[in-house]
C-alpha cells in the first residue's frame, strides 16, 4: 500500500519527525487511537518489516542502515511487550527499563548483552568493521528470538 501526501504536508511531517524514521514517527502519533491488541499487532508487523529490511541491507553491505533496521526490529518487539504489559515504551530509557525488568524476571544475562549490542548497532556511525558488525548482528538476532518468546 502506498500513501500520497502533498509536498507541504510531507515537509511538515519531516520537520516534526526531527530526523526520526517517518513511519515510526507517524505510528507514534496514531497508535493511541488503536485498541491494545491492534497496537501489539501493528508493532509486530513493524518488527517484521524492519527485520526484513535489515537483512536486505545487510546482504547489500549497507551496514550503517542495516544496523538501524536491526535496532528498529528490536524496539518494535519491546514496544509490543510493553504494550501487552501496560508499561511505558516511548523512550530509550523505557526500553532499557523494560530489559532490566525482563532480566529480573528471567535472570537471563543474554537479554542484557543482546540489548547492549543491538543498541551499539543503533549508535554505529560507520565505526563498526564488518567482522565486529557480524557479532553485533548475531546477538541482536538472538535477542529478537528471546523477545518473541517473552511476547508469547
Amino acid at each position: 500500500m502506498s500513501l500520497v501526501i502533498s509536498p507541504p504536508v510531507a515537509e511538515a511531517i519531516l520537520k516534526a519527525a526531527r530526523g526520526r524514521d517517518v513511519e515510526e514517527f507517524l505510528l507514534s502519533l496514531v497508535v493511541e487511537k488503536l485498541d491494545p491488541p491492534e497496537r501489539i499487532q501493528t508493532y509486530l508487523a513493524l518488527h517484521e518489516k524492519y527485520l526484513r529490511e535489515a537483512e536486505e541491507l545487510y546482504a547489500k553491505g549497507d551496514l550503517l542502515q542495516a544496523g538501524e533496521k536491526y535496532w528498529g526490529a528490536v524496539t518494535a518487539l519491546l514496544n509490543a511487550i510493553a504494550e501487552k504489559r501496560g508499561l511505558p515504551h516511548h523512550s530509550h530509557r523505557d526500553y532499557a527499563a523494560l530489559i532490566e525488568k525482563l532480566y529480573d524476571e528471567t535472570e537471563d544475562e543474554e537479554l542484557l548483552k543482546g540489548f547492549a549490542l543491538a543498541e551499539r548497532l543503533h549508535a554505529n556511525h560507520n565505526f563498526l568493521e564488518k567482522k565486529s558488525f557480524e557479532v553485533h548482528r548475531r546477538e541482536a538476532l538472538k535477542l529478537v528470538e528471546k523477545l518473541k518468546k517473552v511476547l508469547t
Side-chain angles (χ1 to χ4, degrees):
M1 175 172 132
S2 69
L3 181 64
V4 178
I5 300 174
S6 68
V9 173
E11 286 178 36
I13 291 170
L14 290 171
K15 184 177 179 182
R18 296 183 183 166
R20 286 178 57 194
D21 178 86
V22 173
E23 280 188 336
E24 189 176 313
F25 171 70
L26 291 173
L27 179 59
S28 72
L29 297 176
V30 301
V31 74
E32 292 179 15
K33 306 260 189 247
L34 301 174
D35 292 329
E38 292 173 313
R39 292 179 199 169
I40 293 168
Q41 288 306 314
T42 301
Y43 288 128
L44 288 174
L46 190 60
H47 156 74
E48 291 169 6
K49 174 188 176 291
Y50 283 153
L51 193 57
R52 183 178 54 256
E53 290 173 352
E55 293 292 279
E56 290 168 2
L57 290 161
Y58 173 74
K60 292 177 185 175
D62 187 346
L63 303 184
L64 183 64
Q65 291 302 312
E68 282 298 324
K69 297 296 182 174
Y70 286 119
W71 174 249
V74 167
T75 59
L77 280 177
L78 290 172
N79 286 332
I81 293 167
E83 188 66 42
K84 189 172 184 179
R85 293 173 172 223
L87 298 171
H89 54 94
H90 307 289
S91 69
H92 207 95
R93 181 183 179 106
D94 292 339
Y95 298 140
L98 178 55
I99 286 294
E100 289 291 333
K101 183 170 184 53
L102 295 175
Y103 171 65
D104 285 344
E105 291 173 6
T106 65
E107 296 188 14
D108 184 351
E109 292 179 10
E110 297 299 314
L111 290 170
L112 299 174
K113 293 174 187 176
F115 182 75
L117 291 174
E119 205 171 25
R120 184 111 163 124
L121 289 173
H122 172 60
N124 180 27
H125 298 286
N126 275 339
F127 55 76
L128 289 177
E129 300 292 330
K130 184 164 175 50
K131 185 176 177 182
S132 171
F133 185 92
E134 298 280 342
V135 174
H136 289 73
R137 174 184 173 268
R138 182 179 64 240
E139 295 304 316
L141 291 172
K142 284 183 193 176
L143 176 62
V144 161
E145 292 307 312
K146 286 181 180 290
L147 293 176
K148 284 181 183 177
K149 287 178 184 172
V150 167
L151 192 58
T152 60

